[in-house]
Amino acid sequence: MPLISSSSYQPPRYLFNGHLQTIVPSLLRTGPDVRYQRERVETEDGDFLDLDWSRLPAAQPASDTLGIVSHGLEGSAGRPYMRGMVQAFNRAGFDALAWNYRSCSGEMNRLLRSYHLGDTDDLDFVVRHALSKLRYRRIFLTGFSAGGNVTLKYLGENPDRVPREVQRAAVFSVPTDLKSSSNHISRFENRLYLNNFMRTLREKIRQKAEILPGQVDVSNLDELRFFPEFDDKYTAPMHGFKSAEEYYEHASSGRYLGNIRIPTLLVNAENDPFLPPACFPREVAAQSQFVYLETPHEGGHVGFAEGSPDGSYYSERRALDFLTAETPR
C-alpha cells in the first residue's frame, strides 16, 4: 500500500504560499551548469525530435544507467527544473537525456500535429532510440507536470510494450485528471499562469499557419482564453480526437495508474495552484503495489525549492533517493 503518509519537504521561509513556491523557482532559479549535446532524430511519420544529452565525461567509466527527463507544457530541455534533474542524474553517476516535444526545441516541427499531454508514442520512441544507441542496462523516467502525465500514461496504458530496462519512475506536479485541471487553472487566481500558456500556444498556432498555408484556421484565435476551447479547436482535431472532452478522457494518466508495473513515485503538493482534488489519486495508491503517492503540504507547481547550498531542489533529491534505493520508499 504505497500511500506515503508524510513528506520531509519544507520550503524556505520566504516562500510562504503555493504561488510563491511556483513562481519564484520558475523566474529566479539560475539554470544549473549542464552542457547538452543535441541530437536530431527523424520520426517514422516524417517529423523530427530534438534530444539533449548530458553524458558523463569520457574520463569516467561509461554509465550503464540513463535518466530520461520529460518537461512540462510549453517547456523545453532548457528549463531550470529540467537542467536541475539532469545535473542530479549526472552527479549520481548516470547519463541523462532531456527530450524536447515536437515544436518545443526552438524550431517548429514539420507536421500539422505537434504534441499533447497523452502522447506516449514519442516517449516510447525516445526510450527505444536510447536503448538502440548505447544499450543501457537501466533506464529511469522522470517528468514534470505534462511530462509527468505522459510518463504515467506510458507506463500504464500498455505495460507490455515498456522495455524491461525501464525499471523505475518519479514524477512531480502531475495533472492526472486533465478535464478537472484544465477547469481549475481557469480560476481567477490562476489567470497569470493561464494567460502565459495561452500566449505561447496561440503564437505556435500562428507559426503553424505560416508554414502550412491553408491547413490551420486562425480565425477567432485571439478570442480563445481557456484550455477547453483551445483544445477543442486545435489540440483535439490536430491529434485525432473528436473533441476536447474525448482528448481529456483518453489522455489523462489517472485512468491508467492501476496498470503500472514498475515502482513509480508521484509527488503532488497539496498547495499546487494547478491541481484540483481529482489529481490526488489516493485510493489508487492505497491499492497499488507500484504507485507511491506523496502529497506534501507545500511545494507549489514544479517548485520544491529548498534553499540548499548546492542549489539542488527537493524534487531532484527525492527522485534520486527513490530511483536508486534498494527498496523503493
Side-chain angles (χ1 to χ4, degrees):
M1 299 176 64
L3 183 59
I4 299 173
S5 59
S6 62
S7 174
S8 64
Y9 175 66
Q10 293 292 332
R13 291 186 178 180
Y14 62 90
L15 300 180
F16 51 81
N17 63 39
H19 292 294
L20 287 174
Q21 292 163 18
T22 300
I23 295 171
V24 171
S26 176
L27 295 181
L28 301 184
R29 186 183 188 185
T30 57
D33 185 17
V34 172
R35 295 185 179 182
Y36 286 136
Q37 291 181 323
R38 174 156 292 187
E39 177 190 15
R40 175 163 292 186
V41 292
E42 298 290 320
T43 60
E44 295 177 352
D45 59 357
D47 215 337
F48 66 89
L49 290 172
D50 284 333
L51 315 182
D52 288 330
W53 291 85
S54 181
R55 299 188 181 93
L56 298 183
Q60 298 185 25
S63 175
D64 66 355
T65 300
L66 174 68
I68 297 179
V69 194
S70 301
H71 62 75
L73 182 69
E74 289 301 278
S76 72
R79 291 295 174 89
Y81 64 85
M82 293 286 287
R83 299 173 74 90
M85 188 63 76
V86 166
Q87 184 181 72
F89 277 123
N90 290 161
R91 286 177 172 175
F94 307 145
D95 288 349
L97 169 56
W99 67 291
N100 301 276
Y101 309 154
R102 304 186 196 209
S103 80
C104 292
S105 66
E107 179 180 339
M108 182 57 63
N109 67 307
R110 301 173 188 140
L111 303 182
L112 179 62
R113 63 153 297 179
S114 55
Y115 74 96
H116 64 83
L117 273 66
D119 186 4
T120 57
D121 287 342
D122 278 353
L123 176 56
D124 184 62
F125 177 85
V126 169
V127 169
R128 294 182 184 280
H129 174 75
L131 286 172
S132 68
K133 195 174 182 67
L134 289 173
R135 297 295 180 184
Y136 291 100
R137 185 175 62 86
R138 297 187 302 178
I139 288 182
F140 297 142
L141 301 181
T142 58
F144 296 89
S145 194
N149 189 74
V150 172
T151 300
L152 293 175
K153 182 172 179 280
Y154 171 62
L155 295 175
E157 68 179 348
N158 185 2
D160 290 338
R161 82 163 172 172
V162 179
R164 60 179 177 79
E165 290 87 354
V166 177
Q167 296 188 3
R168 291 187 188 179
V171 294
F172 299 84
S173 305
V174 183
T176 58
D177 187 298
L178 296 181
K179 181 178 180 179
S180 64
S181 61
S182 67
N183 291 325
H184 192 76
I185 201 172
S186 299
R187 299 186 307 170
F188 176 78
E189 61 267 30
N190 289 331
R191 291 293 174 85
L192 174 66
Y193 314 115
L194 177 65
N195 291 342
N196 187 57
F197 284 132
M198 292 300 297
R199 176 181 56 79
T200 62
L201 288 168
R202 286 194 293 264
E203 178 57 31
K204 284 187 176 179
I205 292 297
R206 294 188 184 95
Q207 292 179 36
K208 286 282 187 184
E210 289 179 2
I211 66 174
L212 299 170
Q215 296 188 45
V216 183
D217 175 17
V218 296
S219 63
N220 303 319
L221 175 60
D222 289 331
E223 298 176 13
L224 304 180
R225 302 296 181 187
F226 304 103
F227 282 155
E229 54 192 18
F230 180 89
D231 290 334
D232 203 56
K233 184 171 183 178
Y234 294 110
T235 311
M238 283 181 172
H239 299 95
F241 301 100
K242 295 179 181 178
S243 64
E245 186 82 14
E246 182 180 85
Y247 162 52
Y248 295 152
E249 179 183 355
H250 288 278
S252 295
S253 61
R255 63 183 294 184
Y256 306 100
L257 295 179
N259 298 328
I260 291 177
R261 293 296 178 266
I262 66 168
T264 300
L265 174 68
L266 166 58
V267 181
N268 280 353
E270 292 179 345
N271 70 346
D272 188 324
F274 291 23
L275 302 184
C279 294
F280 294 83
R282 292 181 173 87
E283 291 185 6
V284 174
Q287 298 174 10
S288 173
Q289 299 179 36
F290 300 100
V291 178
Y292 292 70
L293 176 63
E294 180 178 336
T295 57
H297 298 305
E298 311 282 342
H301 189 77
V302 192
F304 302 106
E306 288 189 305
S308 57
D310 64 355
S312 63
Y313 277 43
Y314 177 76
S315 49
E316 297 148 18
R317 179 168 58 83
R318 183 69 178 96
L320 267 295
D321 285 347
F322 180 85
L323 297 171
T324 61
E326 183 175 345
T327 302
R329 59 185 188 279

